[in-house]
Amino acid sequence: MTGNQDLGRRAAAVLCATAALMGPVAPAGASAAPPPRPGGLVYVADLNSDTVSVVDSATGTVLDAVPVGDGPDSVAVSPDGSRAYVTDSAADTVSVIDTRTRTVVSTIPVGDEPSRVTVSPDGRTVYVANVKSDDVSVIDARARAVTDTIAVGGAPLGVAVSADGCTLYVANAATDTVSVVRTATGEVTGTIPVGGGPTALVLAPDGRHLYVSNLTSDDVSVVDVQEGAETDRIPVGDQPAGIDVRPDGRRVYVADIGSDTVSVISTRDRTVTETVPVGDGPNGLAVSPDGSRVHMSNFDSDTLSVIDTATARVTDTVAVGDGPTGVAAAPRKQT
Protein backbone atom coordinates (compact mmCIF):
# COMPACT_ATOMS: atom_id res chain seq x y z
CA MET A 1 0.00 0.00 0.00
CA THR A 2 1.32 3.48 -0.88
CA GLY A 3 1.57 6.32 1.61
CA ASN A 4 -1.28 8.18 -0.10
CA GLN A 5 -3.51 5.11 0.03
CA ASP A 6 -2.77 4.66 3.73
CA LEU A 7 -3.59 8.32 4.47
CA GLY A 8 -6.77 8.01 2.44
CA ARG A 9 -7.89 4.96 4.37
CA ARG A 10 -7.15 6.64 7.71
CA ALA A 11 -9.18 9.70 6.70
CA ALA A 12 -12.05 7.50 5.56
CA ALA A 13 -11.95 5.58 8.85
CA VAL A 14 -12.20 8.82 10.86
CA LEU A 15 -15.14 10.06 8.78
CA CYS A 16 -16.96 6.75 9.13
CA ALA A 17 -16.38 6.64 12.87
CA THR A 18 -17.89 10.13 13.16
CA ALA A 19 -20.85 9.08 11.03
CA ALA A 20 -21.41 6.04 13.24
CA LEU A 21 -21.74 8.24 16.32
CA MET A 22 -24.27 10.43 14.53
CA GLY A 23 -26.41 7.47 13.44
CA PRO A 24 -27.97 6.78 10.02
CA VAL A 25 -27.65 9.63 7.54
CA ALA A 26 -29.61 10.55 4.45
CA PRO A 27 -27.85 10.52 1.08
CA ALA A 28 -25.46 13.42 0.68
CA GLY A 29 -27.22 16.61 -0.39
CA ALA A 30 -30.68 15.10 -0.01
CA SER A 31 -32.12 18.12 1.80
CA ALA A 32 -30.58 20.79 -0.43
CA ALA A 33 -30.83 19.22 -3.87
CA PRO A 34 -33.68 20.32 -6.14
CA PRO A 35 -36.31 17.68 -6.94
CA PRO A 36 -35.52 15.52 -10.00
CA ARG A 37 -37.12 16.58 -13.25
CA PRO A 38 -39.87 14.26 -14.52
CA GLY A 39 -38.76 11.29 -16.55
CA GLY A 40 -35.06 10.74 -16.91
CA LEU A 41 -32.67 8.39 -18.62
CA VAL A 42 -32.63 4.62 -18.20
CA TYR A 43 -29.57 2.51 -18.99
CA VAL A 44 -30.18 -1.15 -19.85
CA ALA A 45 -27.41 -3.78 -20.12
CA ASP A 46 -28.19 -5.96 -23.16
CA LEU A 47 -26.36 -9.21 -22.34
CA ASN A 48 -26.60 -10.90 -25.74
CA SER A 49 -26.08 -7.90 -28.00
CA ASP A 50 -23.10 -6.46 -26.09
CA THR A 51 -24.69 -3.03 -25.85
CA VAL A 52 -26.22 -0.65 -23.35
CA SER A 53 -29.56 0.79 -24.46
CA VAL A 54 -30.16 4.42 -23.44
CA VAL A 55 -33.89 5.06 -23.01
CA ASP A 56 -35.78 8.31 -22.48
CA SER A 57 -38.19 7.28 -19.74
CA ALA A 58 -40.67 10.08 -20.42
CA THR A 59 -41.18 9.23 -24.10
CA GLY A 60 -40.21 5.55 -24.21
CA THR A 61 -37.68 6.33 -26.95
CA VAL A 62 -34.39 4.45 -27.32
CA LEU A 63 -31.86 7.26 -27.80
CA ASP A 64 -28.81 5.10 -28.41
CA ALA A 65 -27.27 1.64 -28.15
CA VAL A 66 -23.71 1.95 -26.84
CA PRO A 67 -21.32 -0.92 -27.72
CA VAL A 68 -19.50 -2.26 -24.63
CA GLY A 69 -17.58 -5.43 -23.70
CA ASP A 70 -18.74 -9.04 -23.97
CA GLY A 71 -21.80 -10.00 -21.95
CA PRO A 72 -22.86 -6.77 -20.21
CA ASP A 73 -24.76 -7.85 -17.11
CA SER A 74 -25.22 -4.82 -14.87
CA VAL A 75 -24.99 -1.04 -15.00
CA ALA A 76 -24.68 1.74 -12.40
CA VAL A 77 -24.61 5.50 -12.91
CA SER A 78 -22.42 7.92 -10.95
CA PRO A 79 -24.26 10.35 -8.63
CA ASP A 80 -23.55 13.29 -10.94
CA GLY A 81 -24.80 11.33 -13.95
CA SER A 82 -21.59 11.79 -15.93
CA ARG A 83 -20.51 8.14 -16.03
CA ALA A 84 -22.17 4.76 -16.41
CA TYR A 85 -20.27 1.68 -15.25
CA VAL A 86 -21.06 -1.60 -16.98
CA THR A 87 -19.92 -5.09 -15.94
CA ASP A 88 -18.78 -7.12 -18.97
CA SER A 89 -19.36 -10.57 -17.50
CA ALA A 90 -17.75 -12.56 -20.34
CA ALA A 91 -14.74 -10.25 -20.68
CA ASP A 92 -13.92 -9.81 -16.97
CA THR A 93 -13.92 -6.04 -17.39
CA VAL A 94 -15.90 -2.92 -16.54
CA SER A 95 -16.73 -0.51 -19.37
CA VAL A 96 -16.90 3.17 -18.39
CA ILE A 97 -19.35 5.19 -20.50
CA ASP A 98 -19.23 8.97 -20.82
CA THR A 99 -22.97 9.66 -20.66
CA ARG A 100 -22.64 12.96 -22.54
CA THR A 101 -20.93 11.47 -25.60
CA ARG A 102 -22.36 7.97 -25.07
CA THR A 103 -19.02 6.35 -25.76
CA VAL A 104 -16.78 4.01 -23.77
CA VAL A 105 -13.86 6.04 -22.41
CA SER A 106 -12.16 3.28 -20.41
CA THR A 107 -12.14 -0.48 -19.95
CA ILE A 108 -11.00 -1.74 -16.54
CA PRO A 109 -9.93 -5.37 -15.87
CA VAL A 110 -11.60 -6.81 -12.74
CA GLY A 111 -12.24 -10.27 -11.26
CA ASP A 112 -13.69 -13.44 -12.76
CA GLU A 113 -17.19 -12.96 -14.23
CA PRO A 114 -18.19 -9.56 -12.86
CA SER A 115 -21.91 -9.35 -12.16
CA ARG A 116 -23.39 -6.44 -10.21
CA VAL A 117 -21.88 -2.99 -9.75
CA THR A 118 -22.57 0.02 -7.53
CA VAL A 119 -21.04 3.46 -7.00
CA SER A 120 -20.30 5.16 -3.68
CA PRO A 121 -22.45 8.21 -2.80
CA ASP A 122 -19.51 10.57 -3.41
CA GLY A 123 -18.83 8.99 -6.81
CA ARG A 124 -15.20 8.26 -6.04
CA THR A 125 -15.37 4.48 -5.67
CA VAL A 126 -16.95 1.72 -7.74
CA TYR A 127 -17.62 -1.75 -6.29
CA VAL A 128 -17.91 -4.82 -8.53
CA ALA A 129 -19.05 -8.29 -7.43
CA ASN A 130 -17.14 -11.06 -9.21
CA VAL A 131 -19.15 -14.29 -9.23
CA LYS A 132 -16.47 -16.86 -10.03
CA SER A 133 -13.59 -15.38 -8.04
CA ASP A 134 -15.70 -14.89 -4.90
CA ASP A 135 -14.55 -11.33 -4.37
CA VAL A 136 -15.31 -7.65 -4.90
CA SER A 137 -13.12 -5.37 -7.00
CA VAL A 138 -12.71 -1.84 -5.64
CA ILE A 139 -12.18 0.74 -8.40
CA ASP A 140 -10.86 4.27 -7.97
CA ALA A 141 -13.22 6.20 -10.27
CA ARG A 142 -10.69 8.96 -10.99
CA ALA A 143 -7.75 6.67 -11.67
CA ARG A 144 -10.01 4.14 -13.43
CA ALA A 145 -8.08 1.28 -11.85
CA VAL A 146 -8.63 -1.46 -9.27
CA THR A 147 -7.09 -0.45 -5.94
CA ASP A 148 -8.25 -3.37 -3.78
CA THR A 149 -9.83 -6.83 -3.96
CA ILE A 150 -12.00 -8.03 -1.08
CA ALA A 151 -12.70 -11.74 -0.53
CA VAL A 152 -16.34 -12.36 0.40
CA GLY A 153 -18.73 -15.35 0.29
CA GLY A 154 -19.43 -17.79 -2.52
CA ALA A 155 -20.74 -16.42 -5.84
CA PRO A 156 -21.24 -12.77 -4.85
CA LEU A 157 -23.96 -11.07 -6.89
CA GLY A 158 -25.72 -8.10 -5.29
CA VAL A 159 -23.80 -5.09 -3.95
CA ALA A 160 -25.08 -2.02 -2.08
CA VAL A 161 -23.26 0.75 -0.24
CA SER A 162 -24.55 2.79 2.71
CA ALA A 163 -25.44 6.47 2.29
CA ASP A 164 -22.36 7.55 4.24
CA GLY A 165 -20.15 5.33 2.07
CA CYS A 166 -18.74 3.52 5.11
CA THR A 167 -20.33 0.08 4.70
CA LEU A 168 -20.67 -2.25 1.71
CA TYR A 169 -23.17 -5.12 1.66
CA VAL A 170 -22.63 -8.11 -0.64
CA ALA A 171 -25.18 -10.85 -1.42
CA ASN A 172 -23.46 -14.25 -1.74
CA ALA A 173 -25.65 -16.59 -3.80
CA ALA A 174 -23.73 -19.80 -3.13
CA THR A 175 -23.48 -19.43 0.65
CA ASP A 176 -26.89 -17.83 1.40
CA THR A 177 -25.28 -14.93 3.23
CA VAL A 178 -24.68 -11.20 3.11
CA SER A 179 -21.13 -10.00 3.78
CA VAL A 180 -20.74 -6.71 5.66
CA VAL A 181 -17.58 -4.82 4.64
CA ARG A 182 -15.98 -1.76 6.24
CA THR A 183 -15.04 0.26 3.16
CA ALA A 184 -12.25 2.22 4.86
CA THR A 185 -10.24 -0.95 5.47
CA GLY A 186 -11.73 -3.56 3.15
CA GLU A 187 -12.37 -5.77 6.20
CA VAL A 188 -15.36 -8.12 6.33
CA THR A 189 -16.86 -7.29 9.72
CA GLY A 190 -19.89 -9.56 9.62
CA THR A 191 -21.69 -12.35 7.77
CA ILE A 192 -25.49 -12.43 7.91
CA PRO A 193 -27.46 -15.61 7.00
CA VAL A 194 -30.44 -14.90 4.72
CA GLY A 195 -32.69 -16.89 2.37
CA GLY A 196 -31.73 -19.23 -0.43
CA GLY A 197 -29.65 -17.87 -3.31
CA PRO A 198 -29.52 -14.16 -2.44
CA THR A 199 -29.20 -12.36 -5.74
CA ALA A 200 -29.74 -8.63 -5.24
CA LEU A 201 -30.15 -6.21 -2.36
CA VAL A 202 -31.10 -2.63 -1.62
CA LEU A 203 -30.88 -0.37 1.42
CA ALA A 204 -33.92 1.52 2.64
CA PRO A 205 -33.53 5.31 2.33
CA ASP A 206 -33.26 5.65 6.11
CA GLY A 207 -30.34 3.19 6.11
CA ARG A 208 -31.88 1.00 8.81
CA HIS A 209 -33.06 -1.98 6.79
CA LEU A 210 -31.65 -4.02 3.94
CA TYR A 211 -33.93 -5.91 1.57
CA VAL A 212 -32.47 -9.02 -0.08
CA SER A 213 -34.10 -10.97 -2.94
CA ASN A 214 -33.59 -14.73 -2.54
CA LEU A 215 -33.77 -16.49 -5.92
CA THR A 216 -34.16 -20.09 -4.73
CA SER A 217 -36.38 -19.60 -1.67
CA ASP A 218 -38.84 -17.25 -3.44
CA ASP A 219 -38.78 -14.58 -0.77
CA VAL A 220 -37.20 -11.32 0.39
CA SER A 221 -35.12 -11.13 3.56
CA VAL A 222 -35.44 -8.04 5.74
CA VAL A 223 -32.17 -7.34 7.55
CA ASP A 224 -31.89 -4.96 10.50
CA VAL A 225 -28.60 -3.21 9.78
CA GLN A 226 -27.94 -2.19 13.39
CA GLU A 227 -28.62 -5.69 14.72
CA GLY A 228 -26.76 -7.30 11.82
CA ALA A 229 -29.44 -9.99 11.50
CA GLU A 230 -32.41 -11.05 9.41
CA THR A 231 -35.63 -10.02 11.17
CA ASP A 232 -38.29 -11.00 8.64
CA ARG A 233 -38.89 -13.01 5.46
CA ILE A 234 -41.51 -11.91 2.89
CA PRO A 235 -42.85 -14.44 0.33
CA VAL A 236 -42.94 -13.05 -3.23
CA GLY A 237 -43.17 -14.50 -6.76
CA ASP A 238 -41.16 -17.27 -8.38
CA GLN A 239 -37.37 -16.71 -8.50
CA PRO A 240 -37.05 -13.11 -7.31
CA ALA A 241 -34.03 -11.30 -8.74
CA GLY A 242 -33.80 -7.52 -9.24
CA ILE A 243 -34.94 -5.34 -6.36
CA ASP A 244 -35.25 -1.61 -5.65
CA VAL A 245 -36.98 0.76 -3.24
CA ARG A 246 -38.98 3.93 -3.79
CA PRO A 247 -37.20 7.10 -2.56
CA ASP A 248 -39.82 7.62 0.16
CA GLY A 249 -39.13 4.10 1.46
CA ARG A 250 -42.79 3.02 1.42
CA ARG A 251 -42.57 0.40 -1.35
CA VAL A 252 -40.03 -2.21 -2.45
CA TYR A 253 -40.27 -3.65 -5.97
CA VAL A 254 -39.06 -7.15 -6.83
CA ALA A 255 -38.60 -8.78 -10.26
CA ASP A 256 -39.95 -12.35 -10.27
CA ILE A 257 -38.17 -14.13 -13.13
CA GLY A 258 -40.14 -17.36 -12.93
CA SER A 259 -43.63 -15.84 -12.70
CA ASP A 260 -43.16 -12.89 -15.11
CA THR A 261 -44.30 -10.41 -12.48
CA VAL A 262 -43.15 -7.60 -10.25
CA SER A 263 -44.06 -7.95 -6.58
CA VAL A 264 -44.85 -4.69 -4.76
CA ILE A 265 -44.05 -4.82 -1.04
CA SER A 266 -45.40 -2.43 1.58
CA THR A 267 -42.49 -1.77 3.92
CA ARG A 268 -44.90 -0.82 6.70
CA ASP A 269 -46.86 -4.08 6.64
CA ARG A 270 -44.11 -6.20 5.04
CA THR A 271 -46.61 -7.83 2.73
CA VAL A 272 -47.07 -7.96 -1.04
CA THR A 273 -49.82 -5.47 -1.90
CA GLU A 274 -49.71 -5.75 -5.70
CA THR A 275 -48.49 -8.25 -8.28
CA VAL A 276 -47.88 -6.62 -11.66
CA PRO A 277 -47.65 -8.75 -14.86
CA VAL A 278 -44.74 -7.67 -17.08
CA GLY A 279 -42.75 -9.24 -19.95
CA ASP A 280 -41.04 -12.63 -20.15
CA GLY A 281 -38.17 -13.28 -17.75
CA PRO A 282 -38.10 -10.03 -15.73
CA ASN A 283 -34.61 -9.54 -14.35
CA GLY A 284 -33.16 -6.11 -13.62
CA LEU A 285 -35.22 -3.39 -11.98
CA ALA A 286 -34.76 0.30 -11.17
CA VAL A 287 -37.03 2.93 -9.62
CA SER A 288 -36.78 6.42 -11.12
CA PRO A 289 -35.13 9.06 -8.89
CA ASP A 290 -38.47 10.88 -8.51
CA GLY A 291 -40.22 7.64 -7.51
CA SER A 292 -42.86 7.87 -10.23
CA ARG A 293 -41.78 4.90 -12.33
CA VAL A 294 -40.31 1.42 -12.09
CA HIS A 295 -38.25 0.22 -15.03
CA MET A 296 -38.18 -3.55 -15.55
CA SER A 297 -35.96 -5.43 -18.03
CA ASN A 298 -37.52 -8.55 -19.57
CA PHE A 299 -34.72 -10.90 -20.62
CA ASP A 300 -36.76 -13.28 -22.76
CA SER A 301 -38.89 -10.68 -24.56
CA ASP A 302 -36.11 -8.10 -25.16
CA THR A 303 -38.18 -5.29 -23.68
CA LEU A 304 -38.28 -2.74 -20.90
CA SER A 305 -41.56 -2.46 -18.97
CA VAL A 306 -42.37 0.92 -17.42
CA ILE A 307 -44.64 0.78 -14.35
CA ASP A 308 -46.49 3.77 -12.91
CA THR A 309 -45.93 3.55 -9.14
CA ALA A 310 -49.18 5.44 -8.42
CA THR A 311 -51.35 2.83 -10.14
CA ALA A 312 -49.02 -0.22 -10.15
CA ARG A 313 -49.76 -0.71 -13.85
CA VAL A 314 -47.53 -1.02 -16.93
CA THR A 315 -47.81 2.20 -18.94
CA ASP A 316 -45.21 1.52 -21.62
CA THR A 317 -43.22 -1.34 -23.14
CA VAL A 318 -40.00 -0.42 -24.94
CA ALA A 319 -38.05 -2.69 -27.28
CA VAL A 320 -34.36 -2.72 -26.31
CA GLY A 321 -31.36 -4.95 -27.09
CA ASP A 322 -31.04 -8.74 -26.96
CA GLY A 323 -31.32 -10.26 -23.49
CA PRO A 324 -31.65 -7.18 -21.26
CA THR A 325 -30.49 -7.69 -17.67
CA GLY A 326 -29.25 -4.87 -15.42
CA VAL A 327 -31.06 -1.51 -15.32
CA ALA A 328 -30.07 1.89 -13.89
CA ALA A 329 -32.19 5.04 -13.78
CA ALA A 330 -30.75 8.56 -13.65
CA PRO A 331 -32.48 11.95 -13.39
CA ARG A 332 -32.28 14.52 -16.12
CA LYS A 333 -29.63 17.13 -15.37
CA GLN A 334 -30.93 20.42 -14.12
CA THR A 335 -30.73 23.30 -16.62
Side-chain angles (χ1 to χ4, degrees):
M1 181 184 297
T2 67
N4 288 337
Q5 286 177 316
D6 186 42
L7 286 173
R9 279 193 166 181
R10 289 180 183 179
V14 171
L15 289 171
C16 289
T18 303
L21 291 173
M22 296 173 63
V25 298
S31 61
R37 290 174 58 186
L41 296 178
V42 181
Y43 298 84
V44 184
D46 306 315
L47 186 76
N48 295 332
S49 55
D50 299 336
T51 57
V52 169
S53 295
V54 184
V55 180
D56 185 320
S57 176
T59 64
T61 304
V62 177
L63 304 176
D64 212 340
V66 184
V68 290
D70 294 341
D73 187 31
S74 178
V75 58
V77 180
S78 61
D80 65 2
S82 67
R83 295 288 185 269
Y85 299 91
V86 185
T87 55
D88 308 316
S89 63
D92 298 341
T93 57
V94 167
S95 294
V96 183
I97 297 175
D98 182 319
T99 58
R100 183 181 62 84
T101 62
R102 296 179 193 151
T103 58
V104 173
V105 293
S106 187
T107 302
I108 306 167
V110 289
D112 194 357
E113 196 174 311
S115 178
R116 306 294 162 81
V117 57
T118 193
V119 186
S120 64
D122 61 10
R124 296 179 180 178
T125 310
V126 180
Y127 299 96
V128 181
N130 304 304
V131 179
K132 290 189 175 178
S133 51
D134 298 338
D135 54 29
V136 172
S137 296
V138 182
I139 297 173
D140 183 314
R142 292 181 180 177
R144 298 180 190 172
V146 173
T147 58
D148 201 1
T149 301
I150 304 168
V152 289
L157 287 172
V159 282
V161 64
S162 60
D164 59 12
C166 297
T167 307
L168 178 72
Y169 300 93
V170 186
N172 307 304
T175 51
D176 299 342
T177 59
V178 170
S179 295
V180 183
V181 180
R182 180 180 293 124
T183 57
T185 62
E187 175 191 3
V188 175
T189 60
T191 302
I192 304 170
V194 289
T199 301
L201 40 71
V202 65
L203 271 165
D206 64 7
R208 294 174 180 171
H209 293 96
L210 186 71
Y211 297 91
V212 187
S213 61
N214 302 309
L215 187 76
T216 59
S217 57
D218 299 338
D219 51 31
V220 169
S221 294
V222 182
V223 173
D224 185 302
V225 169
Q226 292 182 339
E227 293 183 11
E230 180 189 64
T231 57
D232 207 349
R233 193 86 65 84
I234 306 168
V236 289
D238 188 16
Q239 295 181 296
I243 190 169
D244 204 358
V245 62
R246 210 163 70 178
D248 61 12
R250 295 179 180 178
R251 296 288 186 271
V252 170
Y253 300 86
V254 187
D256 307 315
I257 295 177
S259 52
D260 297 338
T261 57
V262 169
S263 295
V264 184
I265 297 172
S266 165
T267 56
R268 179 179 180 179
D269 301 331
R270 294 184 180 175
T271 59
V272 173
T273 59
E274 300 275 357
T275 301
V276 185
V278 288
D280 296 337
N283 193 324
L285 183 153
V287 178
S288 62
D290 65 2
S292 66
R293 296 173 173 88
V294 177
H295 307 92
M296 177 75 260
S297 66
N298 304 302
F299 184 84
D300 295 321
S301 55
D302 301 335
T303 58
L304 181 76
S305 295
V306 182
I307 300 171
D308 185 325
T309 58
T311 62
R313 297 293 181 267
V314 173
T315 58
D316 202 358
T317 302
V318 183
V320 290
D322 188 2
T325 53
V327 183
R332 294 186 185 279
K333 293 184 178 180
Q334 301 294 321
T335 56

